[in-house]
Amino acid sequence: MSSTELPSVSAVTSVLPKVAPVRVGEGERLRSVGLPGITLTVRSRAAVREGLPPALYVHGLGGSSQNWSQLMAEFDGLVDSEALDLPGFGDSPPPDDGDYSVTGHARAVIRYLDAAGRGPVHLFGNSLGGAITTRVAAVRPDLVRTLTLISPALPEIRVQRSALPTALLGVPGIASLFTRISREWTAEQRVRGVLGLCYGDPGMVTPEAFRYAVEELERRLQLPYFWDAMARSSRGIVNAYTLGGQHGLWRQAERVLAPTLLVYGGRDQLVGYRMAQRAARTFRDSRLLSLPDAGHVAMMEYPETVAAAFRELLADAGELGEPGDFGKPAGAGDVRGRRTAEADGFGRGGRGGARGSRGGGSVSTVSDAGRAGSGPGSGSGAGGDGNDDTNAGS
């Protein structure tokens, strides 16, 4: 593995047009990692101390490693955080073979972890990244210590109407048609549309964050491969949804051995909130955090709440002692909730768990014993839709 500090450019990227530099937040650094067939940009935070367990974060369709900056900052002193720009996204150039399938992206993640020697890691995935990391955890359990999935793009039978445009991006010719139709749209208009789709309440986005998102989208629109990466990755997730047998995403979810935290938002327009119960019953050792007011990117909307739930996952896994031994960040909301053998945070009293405070949620735990007694409702069939995010680095 070769690694250089940005803004150094590899031979792969030297033929690309000059674009504005990627934003690097306080306490972060970027580096470019050359691997066979791919070059990845890796965002990391300076470790507070030596010996912290490693964590790796994988973004969704149209996103980048910047999507994880707030959550990574919550984990200073807890884990050694790195976030990837998937091939063709963020500041990573396209893969040499043009493979944007879920398997292709999963292979890139595995290739990086093998080369870096960082495994097993605490693995995080959002949306498309959730499908990718599910596959990684299923086929390479030796690389995954825990798995945290935020609105994972796993197959659904009933397609949400708001997710159809993303699915259609995968149809040949649609991306170029959309480019022509939207030629006159400003970056500000595009970002407002993305925020409205991905956030439960777009009003939570600060003017500064909105400006950064516009700057990042303007940068990406100058890249000649931007729409191709979007279209091919959309096609990849739709194709993954239609796979059956041992290669199906739900079948692979059943094989995940790592303790798993599932995070679902009640206002998610891209991944159905109703899928949370099925996911909680499918993953062998799962905890479900339901956030009724969150949209598709809970790690950006409620980073403190997600961080508190992850700390509890670590405590349950024996890495932090007893759950009560660690503090919860101020304003994190009540994520402790009720803990039962069956994830029932979506039943009584409405669509979610604790609805008393904004951003509040409930955590339930599913064990193998609880799953065995959960009844026939745990086995709805898998279908195909294009649910994923079009978060342009917001």
Side-chain angles (χ1 to χ4, degrees):
M1 176 180 66
S2 63
S3 177
T4 57
E5 294 296 321
L6 292 181
S8 299
V9 287
S10 66
V12 176
T13 59
S14 62
V15 298
L16 298 177
K18 298 288 185 181
V19 296
V22 174
R23 180 175 177 269
V24 182
E26 183 178 353
E28 295 182 342
R29 70 185 181 108
L30 295 181
R31 72 182 189 279
S32 180
V33 178
L35 298 166
I38 54 173
T39 299
L40 299 175
T41 296
V42 181
R43 182 179 302 265
S44 61
R45 291 187 63 83
V48 173
R49 55 186 171 83
E50 294 286 334
L52 292 176
L56 187 71
Y57 307 77
V58 183
H59 62 80
L61 179 67
S64 76
S65 58
Q66 293 183 61
N67 296 160
W68 298 101
S69 290
Q70 292 167 275
L71 188 62
M72 289 197 300
E74 293 290 327
F75 293 149
D76 283 350
L78 183 68
V79 296
D80 183 4
S81 291
E82 290 188 346
L84 295 180
D85 285 337
L86 290 170
F89 294 95
D91 207 41
S92 294
D96 289 355
D97 60 4
D99 185 357
Y100 289 100
S101 67
V102 170
T103 297
H105 284 311
R107 188 179 297 119
V109 173
I110 291 171
R111 195 170 294 168
Y112 172 71
L113 287 174
D114 278 340
R118 282 174 56 84
V121 299
H122 297 293
L123 190 60
F124 293 74
N126 169 234
S127 195
L128 168 62
I132 293 167
T133 53
T134 295
R135 184 153 290 176
V136 171
V139 302
R140 288 294 303 275
D142 59 303
L143 293 177
V144 182
R145 179 173 284 177
T146 66
L147 181 64
T148 298
L149 303 176
I150 301 171
S151 295
L154 299 174
E156 303 182 41
I157 291 178
R158 291 176 291 161
V159 181
Q160 297 189 108
R161 291 181 180 179
S162 51
L164 284 173
T166 306
L168 289 174
L169 264 184
V171 177
I174 292 295
S176 59
L177 174 62
F178 179 75
T179 302
R180 291 196 298 272
I181 292 173
S182 63
R183 185 177 294 116
E184 303 303 319
W185 295 4
T186 66
E188 288 84 357
Q189 289 173 318
R190 295 173 190 267
V191 169
R192 285 194 184 93
V194 168
L195 296 180
L197 190 63
C198 291
Y199 274 70
D201 177 9
M204 297 176 66
V205 180
T206 66
E208 181 182 44
F210 181 81
R211 185 177 75 253
Y212 289 148
V214 170
E215 292 172 356
E216 173 62 11
L217 180 57
E218 288 174 335
R219 184 191 71 83
R220 293 200 207 177
L221 288 172
Q222 297 179 58
L223 298 171
Y225 55 83
F226 173 76
W227 284 112
D228 185 59
M230 288 285 291
R232 289 177 182 242
S233 291
S234 297
R235 195 175 310 149
I237 191 64
V238 172
N239 290 341
Y241 280 16
T242 63
L243 286 176
Q246 296 299 316
H247 298 291
L249 284 170
W250 284 114
R251 291 294 295 274
Q252 292 191 320
E254 292 174 350
R255 298 203 297 271
V256 171
L257 301 177
T260 302
L261 171 63
L262 301 163
V263 183
Y264 281 81
R267 296 182 180 177
D268 194 332
Q269 300 182 60
L270 293 164
V271 167
Y273 195 52
R274 64 185 177 274
M275 300 305 295
Q277 287 197 60
R278 180 180 183 188
R281 293 186 177 101
T282 300
F283 288 88
R284 299 187 184 201
D285 181 6
S286 67
R287 297 126 184 94
L288 172 61
L289 171 63
S290 61
L291 296 173
D293 293 326
H296 192 59
V297 286
M299 74 284 191
M300 302 170 71
E301 299 171 89
Y302 301 105
E304 297 98 341
T305 309
V306 175
F310 175 69
R311 287 185 178 92
E312 185 161 338
L313 173 69
L314 293 188
D316 287 348
E319 300 200 22
L320 284 179
E322 293 301 315
D325 289 346
F326 58 89
K328 182 170 62 176
D334 179 16
V335 300
R336 301 299 298 276
R338 92 185 148 265
R339 303 184 62 80
T340 66
E342 180 180 351
D344 58 356
F346 293 79
R348 309 165 218 163
R351 290 193 307 168
R355 302 181 66 92
S357 63
R358 180 176 177 80
S362 64
V363 175
S364 301
T365 301
V366 178
S367 65
D368 284 331
R371 182 178 300 102
S374 61
S378 63
S380 58
D385 77 285
N387 295 353
D388 208 0
D389 76 357
T390 52
N391 176 18
S394 57

